[in-house]
Amino acid sequence: MPAVSKGDGMRGLAVFISDIRNCKSKEAEIKRINKELANIRSKFKGDKALDGYSKKKYVCKLLFIFLLGHDIDFGHMEAVNLLSSNKYTEKQIGYLFISVLVNSNSELIRLINNGIKNDLSSRNPTFMCLALHCIANVGSREMAEAFAGEIPRILVAGDTMDSVKQSAALCLLRLYKTSPDLVLMGEWTSRVVHLLNDQHMGVVTAAISLITCLSQKNPDEFKTCVSLAVSRLSRIVSSASTDLQDYTYYFVPAPWLSCKLLRLLQCYPPPEDGAVKGRLVECLETILNKAQEPPKSKKVQHSNAKNAILFEAIALIIHYDSEPNLLVRACNQLGQFLQHRETNLRYLALESMCTLASSEFSHEAVKTHIETVINALKTERDVSVRQRAADLLYAMCDRSNAKQIVAEMLSYLETADYSIREEMVLKVAILAEKYAVDYSWYVDTILNLIRIAGDYVSEEVWYRVIQIVINRDDVQGYAAKTVFEALQAPACHENMVKVGGYILGEFGNLIAGDPRSSPLVQFNLLHSKFHLCSVPTRALLLSAYIKFINLFPETKSTIQEVLRSDSQIRNSDVELQQRAVEYLKLSSIASTDVLATVLEEMPPFPERESSILAKLKKKKGPGAVSSTEQEDGKREGGELNGGGERGADSTIAASNASTPSPSADLLGLRSSGPVSAAPPSAGSLLVDVFSEAGPAAPAAAVNDDGFLRDLEPPTESSDSLLAEGPGDSDSAPPSVVSEDPAPPMPQSDELLHKFVCKSNGVLFENQLLQIGVKSEYRQNLGRMYLFYGNKTSVQFVSFSTSVTYTGELQSQLNVQTKPVEPLVEGGAQVQQVINIECLTDFSDAPLLNIKFRYGGALQNLTLKLPVTVNKFFQPTEMVSHDFFQRWKQLSQPQQEAQKIFKASHGMDKEVLKGKLLGLGMALLENVDPNPENFVCAGVIQTKAQQVGCLLRLEPNAQAQSGEQMYRLTLRSSKDTVSKRLCDLLAEQF
Amino acid sequence: AKSSRSNTVRQGKLRLQKWYTATAERDKKKMVRELMQVVLARKPKMCSFLEWRDLKIVYKRYASLYFCCAVEEQDNELITLEVIHRFVELLDKYFGSVCELDIIFNFEKAYFILDEFLMGGEIQDTSKKSVLKAIEQADLLQEVCDVHLGLL
C-alpha cells in the first residue's frame, strides 16, 4: 500500500476508534480489538520496514487499546524507535506511549534513556521538553539515576529557554519526590531560589513548586526565599488586574502563583526582618480588604480564584498564629462565608474555621458563630457539609457552650446520616466527659447516646461510662437510678442492658431502699432482658446476678433457681454454662464472708486518658478504617479501660475459635480443688470472676514471683479461653489486615544469626521501620521486648504483629505476645513484650509478622523471632579433668556434631571470647592443653529436660590452604541439640 | 495543586486519566471504579469537594463529562477547581468548542495538552497562550492543516 497521504492525519486510527464505538456488545468490541492486535502484530513482524508514520499510527492504536483497559504486551520496541525520529509528532507519540505504558523494564529503560539523552543534548527546546516530560511522567529510580545530575544544570544554565526551564524545574521536583537521595544539593540550589525573581511568570510558577518542596525538607538552605517570595507576592497583590496580561485570570492577577507563594511562606515562621514582615502583613491585609470589594465579574471563576487566594492567606495567618488582629479579621471573613449561597464556600469556611477555633486569639471569635453552625448542621443538604459543621462544633466546644453543643449534636444524631453516626457518637462522648461539670449530666448524656444511637456506640464508650461511675462515688447512686429507669423502656438497646447489668450489679444497693426498685424488682427487670441478649451480654448479666446474691441475700434463692435452670446450667454455650455452674456452686458453698470478699465492689480504675479519643483519631486517620481494625480497637479499648467486661470479650474470641478450649477453667477449680478448700485464693477468684477488671486485683496475691509470671499457666479466664490448648498460645492480636502474612524475608536467617551471640540490638531496619530487640532469659523462660519505631513523620495505622510457629515448634516452644497499639504515630516507638517458654529443644525460629498501613499502602513483612536454643543456656564452670571426662562420656557418634569452616570474621581472640560468652556457655580457661583452643560448657534448660553441652573451637590460623580455618565440635546428650548448635555457631565465626 | 491524578469520566466511562504518583495497575482500576461511584452519586447542588480515602476529591461537571482531581490534604480546593476549568478552556480553545467526541478521537492531543499544562501534578504554566503555543507548534511541525476528522 502506498504511504498514506500525510494530509489524512491518522485516518486509520479514527476509523478504528469509530469501529470500536459502533460495537454493539463487549464481545464484538473484544473481537474487533483482537483483529486489530493481530494486524498490528503482523505489521510489526513483517519483512517490510515500516515508515515512521505507520509506526506512529500503530503505536497510537495500541495506546488506545490499552486505555480501553486491555493489556498490551508488545509494541514497546517500536515506540522506543519512534524516539529517534526527527519528526516531532512521531517522537511525541513514542514518548506518550512510554509515559503511559512503560514500567521499569530494564532492557528497555536503557534504550529509552539513550533516546532521552539525545534529545536533552539536542539543544532543540521542543525536543528537550518532550524528554523532560517523559522523565517526569515515568519518574522511576533508573531515570533519576541517569538524569538527576543533568537536570539541575539545564535548569540554571543561562542560555536555557524559558519553556525548558519550566519543564526542568518540575521534572526535577518529580525526581526529588521519588528519589530524594539522588538529587544532590549544590551550587545550583542558591540559583534556583532566585528563579522567584525571574521575569517570566511561567518560570516562577513552575519553579516555586520545586522550591516549596525543597524548602520543606531543607528549610535552612532555602530560607532566603522568604523575602523574595514576600516581594513577589507584594508586587502581584498590588498590581492592577490587567498588568499581568495572560497571567490574569478572570480579573484576578496570577492566582496560582499567589497561592503558591502563600503556601511557600507556610513552610517558615513569620519573617524576622521587620520590613519584610511589615510588607507581608500589608499583603495579607490587602487580600482581606479585596474580599470586601464588589466583584469585578459575576463569573464563578472570578470569585473562585479570588477566594482561593483568600483561603490560602487565611491558612498562612493561622499558621503564624501570632497576629490577633488578622486572626479575628479572618474569622469574620469566614463568618460571612458561612452564610454564602455557594455551597463550596460554606464548606471551606467551616473547614477553615475548625483550625481557627484552636487558636487562643480567635477561639472566642469563632464561638460567636455557633448559631449559624448549628443551623448548618440542621439544614445543609450535602452530608459532607454537615460533617464539616459537626467538626466545627466539636472544635469550638468549651465549658461555656458544651451543654448546648452536646444537646444539639444529640438531637442531630436522631436523624444523622449513617455514614457519620459513629463519629458523632464518639465526639459527643468525648465532649460530655471533657466538659462535665456535674457527672449526672455526663451519665444522662451517655445513656441518651445509647438510647438514640445504640448501634453506633462502640465498646469504648460504654466501658468509659462504667469506669467513670466506678471512680466517682458521688454519681453512683444517680447512675443506678437513671439506668434503672432507662431499662424500663420496653425496647432498650443491648448496650443499655450491659451498662445496666454492670452498674446495678455494683451499685444496685444504692437504690434498693425504694420499694419501686427493690432488689427483686431490679433483678426481674434485668432478667426480663436476658433472653433477648447476645452471649457476651448474657455472660455479663450472670456476673451481675452473682453480685446481686452478695448485695442482697434475699435474692439468693431466686437467682439460684435461675442459675439452676436447664437453660443456664446446660446451656450449649460453654462460657455461659460454666459461669452458671460455677456461680451456682460459689453461692451455695462459700460463706458470706468469702462471698463478700470475692464479690467485693470494683476498686477504682487508674486515671487514664479516654481511649475514645484514640478511637476518634483513628477514625479520622488516613485510609479507611477496616471493620477488623475497629474490632481490634474495641478489644484494645477494653483493656485500656481496665476491661469493663474482659470475660465477655474473651467469650467472643472463644466462640469464634474453631475449637473452644474444653479445659477453659473459669474459676481455676480444677487446679486448686474445690472452692471451699481454697479460701486463700479469694484474690484470684475475684480476678476470675471479673477477669482482670480490677486493675489492682491481678497483681494481688497468687503469683507475685514477679519476673516471668506471665508464663505461668494462665489462671485468668480470659487467657485460658483464648488459648486453644497448651501448645498453642498464639492468642496474640488477631491479624488486623486480611492479607496473609508475607513469607519470611530473604535476609531473615541472616538477621536471626546476628542475635545468636547477643541479646540486644537492632533486629531490622528499613526506610519506614526500625525494630529493636532487648531480651533476657532465665532458666527455660525468656522475655523479649520488641521496639517498633516509626521512622517517618506519618502515622502507621492498622499496626499489628503476630508470632506464628508451626509444626514441630508448637510442641517445643510456648510463645505469648501482648497486642500492640494499632496506631504508631510518626517518630514514635511502641513496645511489645513477648514471653517465651522453652518446652524442649528446638531448631527452627518462630516467625514474627508485622503488618501496617503506611499512607494507605499495606506493609507486610515477616522476620524470624531472634530466639535460638542457646538462649536457654546456663553456664557450667568445671575444671579440666571434669571437662575431658564428660567429653569422653559423650562420645557416641550421634552425640557429636562437627564442622570445619573458613573464618569469615577474622580470628581476633577477644572478639571470639566475646562471642562465646554471648552464646551463654561458660568459657573455660586453662582446660584445653592447646591455649589457642576455646572450650565451653553449659546446660540448656528446657521444661522437659536439661541438656548438657560441651563445645570446643579450634582455630587454625595457618591451615594448609593458607586460609584461616576453624574446627568446631559440639557434644551434648541430645543429637538434635549438638547439630543445631553447630549449625548456628558455624555462622558466627 | 498537587493532584495525585486527574481524570475525566462520563457515565462510568473513563475518557482520560493521568497519574502523578506511582500506582500499580490493579490499584488504579480499583480506585477509578470506586471514585466513579462516589462522584456519579453526587447531586447537582452539592459542594465540589469531598474527602475520599486520605485524599480530597475536587470535581466539576461540564456537560456530560466529570473532571476530577485527587489532591492532598493541604492543597487548595478552589484553585484546583480552576485548574480543571483552565484545562477545559485549553481543550476548548484548541478544538474549538470542545465536545466529548473530540477527546475520544483525539485522545493523544488531549494528553499532550494536559502534559503541557500540568507536569508531575504541578502547574507548568497558567498562561493559555504559552500552553497552546507549545501544542500548536507541534501541529505546524506535522504539516497537517486539519487534525479534526469529519467522521460521524
Side-chain angles (χ1 to χ4, degrees), chain A residues 281 317 449 553 573 589 593:
Chain A
V281 169
I317 293 170
L449 259 190
D573 184 273
I589 292 174
D593 279 354

Side-chain angles (χ1 to χ4, degrees), chain A residues 80-86 91 95 110-132 135 146-147 150 154:
Chain A
V80 174
N81 284 340
L82 284 176
L83 298 189
S84 50
S85 163
N86 48 14
K91 207 185 259 296
Y95 273 126
R110 210 173 41 80
L111 292 172
I112 295 167
N113 282 356
N114 258 340
I116 291 175
K117 214 166 268 167
N118 288 338
D119 282 334
L120 279 185
S121 50
S122 70
R123 308 190 68 77
N124 173 336
T126 39
F127 287 3
M128 287 173 88
C129 284
L130 277 183
L132 290 167
I135 301 173
F147 302 110
E150 174 70 10
I154 296 176

